Amino acid sequence: MNFSTWIPSTGSSPAICTGTHWMPGTGTLIPSYSPVDGKKIGELNSASKVEYEIVIEKAQTAFLHWRKMPAPQRGEVVRQMGEAFRTHKTALGQLVSYEMGKSLQEGLGEVQEMIDICDFAVGLSRQLYGLTMHSERPGHRMYEQYHPLGIVGIISAFNFPTAVWSWNAMIALVCGNVCVWKPSEKTPFCAIACHHIIASVLEKNSVPEGVCNLVVGGREVGEWLAADVRIPLISATGSTAMGKKVAAGVGQRLGRTLLELGGNNAIIITPDADLDIAIRGAVFGAVGTAGQRCTTTRRLIIHESLYETVKQKLKAAYGQLRIGNPLDQQNHVGPLIDTDAVKRYIAAIEACKAEGGRFLVEGAVLSGPDFSSGCYVQPCIAEAMPQYRIVQEETFAPLLYLLSYKTIDEAIAIQNGVPQGLSSSIMTLNLREAELFLSPEGSDCGIANVNIGTSGAEIGGAFGGEKETGGGRESGSDSWKAYMRRQTNTINYSRSIPLAQGIQFDI
Ligand code: NAD
């Protein structure tokens, strides 16, 4: 595969970008290997504190200019970025697939999400509205408005190596902020490609250096961002362990966080489910992206009357799965991100067995010429109990737990009985069950679906989860408010100065 416009064939790639200008890093060497075939994609030196400081200073200066540009004009720049992603959709989708390991369809889908969020942000750039209120004082007008925050730090995970940045950056940009992106060190070239793609748009529109910044590095760069008082908002996507550290660091300085962390998502299958929809939703949810979506279906909560039927249907469906090179569109399941992820998959299977879990479809690490990267695993299914320690955890791999229930209240209690609260769904044609699931007594997750699996959110809705998923909301609806500061304004156009609450203060 040839990505030579974005990745040098020899030597180290620049790791830092301030829009149209690139700089090499002087930190540690980061090689990127494809989990697809184990080949080296390229390498770069991570940003050191010196380059980091240069970027933040440029971002601070750029903000002073960018915040003055009318929001619809900022939206026009974002619109052109969306066009640039359209132009490069195939190549970028292939790179996402090759560096991260997701199927080509999902790689292209990820770029489509970037295009969609650009479109959404363009419309939003004319709708950053506040409310007006009636003042209790005569001759007064009261309203609220939203202003940009400044620098938005974006820390992203490997599994959505481009889309998560765009969800944050495109909204933050139309709101008048400047961005500093620290991508996952496991997928640096996807981030570098994105910055190459938007460079021509920034240049054409004379956008100052420092509005869109990229700083590639390891967790230390994330720690610098979290501790930096010059950065009012940190949006961090990744594991709950990472989110707790970032929240503590940013909280220490009373900054704001937007946290998108781990999930442990479940589908409830009730006796009134359309089983065809339920099985398709469950299988795609469990094995899509090789189980490496934050919204991957990890638990199936099945009514006891259907349990055996669902088991057999799942076994048959898993038997049809084709595992292999994700760029080959015949295959359903690609590799895990690296061999450390494979070790965690094996450890989870062993832990499940040690707690009493029985495997309906056994897990395995696949070997042979097609699996030379050592990252391909067999999606597996275990019969388990809700309280198993391993069932309570997110294992970022295609490991699905089957749990049985008797009553709908019990099913909802099992669904909610984990520390995470991202995505959930119920498969039922029964209105009472569906509405109960969506009621305050139902799912405690940020996303609750009916007759749709747990993964595959659209950008129009606010995306995020509760509890250890971190509470953040990104992308659609009114998520933009997280990227702005609200100001309440009261204007007195009368000839006196009455005080609120009727307080008298005569001098
Ligand atoms: P990770 O937590 O290992 O890393 C995520 C990012 O955080 C990386 O850029 C990493 O360098 C950085 N980081 C790590 N430790 C840090 C620290 N102490 N301070 C600052 N930055 C730090 O996660 P991952 O393995 O890349 O991604 C998988 C995880 O991400 C899963 O738990 C998945 O559920 C979660 N995720 C959540 C969402 C969501 O929207 N809720 C979306 C995608 C992924």
Side-chain angles (χ1 to χ4, degrees), residues 155-160 182-186 218-219 222-223 237-239 242 245-246 260-263 294 394 396 422 463 469:
I155 300 171
S156 63
F158 78 85
N159 65 329
F160 277 89
K182 189 217 96 60
S184 168
E185 58 275 38
K186 294 178 185 172
R219 72 162 55 176
E223 287 166 355
T237 301
S239 59
M242 176 279 291
K245 288 195 186 116
V246 168
E260 298 284 355
L261 311 175
C294 50
E394 178 196 51
F396 222 50
L422 181 51
F463 180 88
T469 303

Side-chain angles (χ1 to χ4, degrees), residues 47-236:
S48 73
K49 199 70 196 281
V50 175
E51 292 95 50
Y52 172 83
E53 283 299 325
I54 294 171
V55 169
I56 300 300
E57 279 170 25
K58 283 196 193 293
Q60 280 186 301
T61 309
F63 174 59
L64 304 181
H65 173 89
W66 186 247
R67 69 179 174 182
K68 284 196 283 196
M69 186 187 270
Q73 285 183 26
R74 297 191 294 251
E76 169 56 18
V77 174
V78 166
R79 188 192 67 74
Q80 293 176 34
M81 288 184 188
E83 287 300 305
F85 292 131
R86 276 187 177 87
T87 304
H88 296 281
K89 180 175 172 181
T90 305
L92 185 58
Q94 285 172 340
L95 179 59
V96 167
S97 179
Y98 189 56
E99 193 175 38
M100 185 274 156
K102 62 177 66 176
S103 75
L104 179 59
Q105 280 302 313
E106 291 177 80
L108 295 171
E110 174 150 0
V111 184
Q112 186 58 46
E113 262 189 83
M114 301 172 76
I115 296 165
D116 293 344
I117 197 71
C118 288
D119 288 351
F120 182 90
V122 176
L124 184 65
S125 70
R126 292 179 185 271
Q127 300 175 71
L128 300 169
Y129 46 76
L131 299 171
T132 59
M133 304 88 181
H134 287 263
S135 170
E136 67 184 48
R137 287 168 281 184
H140 283 58
R141 186 164 73 84
M142 196 159 59
Y143 72 104
E144 64 187 17
Q145 57 176 340
Y146 288 84
H147 294 309
L149 290 170
I151 304 176
V152 174
I154 303 167
I155 300 171
S156 63
F158 78 85
N159 65 329
F160 277 89
T162 59
V164 163
W165 161 70
S166 66
W167 286 9
N168 283 281
M170 298 310 146
I171 304 286
L173 287 174
V174 296
C175 290
N177 301 291
V178 298
C179 301
V180 177
W181 180 19
K182 189 217 96 60
S184 168
E185 58 275 38
K186 294 178 185 172
T187 49
F189 286 104
C190 288
I192 284 173
C194 288
H195 269 257
H196 278 295
I197 290 169
I198 61 171
S200 60
V201 175
L202 297 172
E203 202 165 353
K204 196 168 128 202
N205 291 277
S206 306
V207 173
E209 219 191 321
V211 171
C212 286
N213 305 282
L214 173 68
V215 185
V216 181
R219 72 162 55 176
E220 70 286 353
V221 178
E223 287 166 355
W224 299 335
L225 287 166
D228 198 330
V229 291
R230 295 167 294 183
I231 305 183
L233 171 66
I234 297 290
S235 171

Side-chain angles (χ1 to χ4, degrees), residues 346-359 362 382-385 388-391 399 401:
I346 305 243
I349 291 172
E350 282 165 6
C352 183
K353 285 185 175 166
E355 288 189 88
R358 283 163 304 151
F359 277 74
E362 288 284 345
E383 296 182 86
M385 299 293 285
Y388 287 177
R389 188 191 52 79
I390 195 68
V391 174
L399 168 48
Y401 301 111

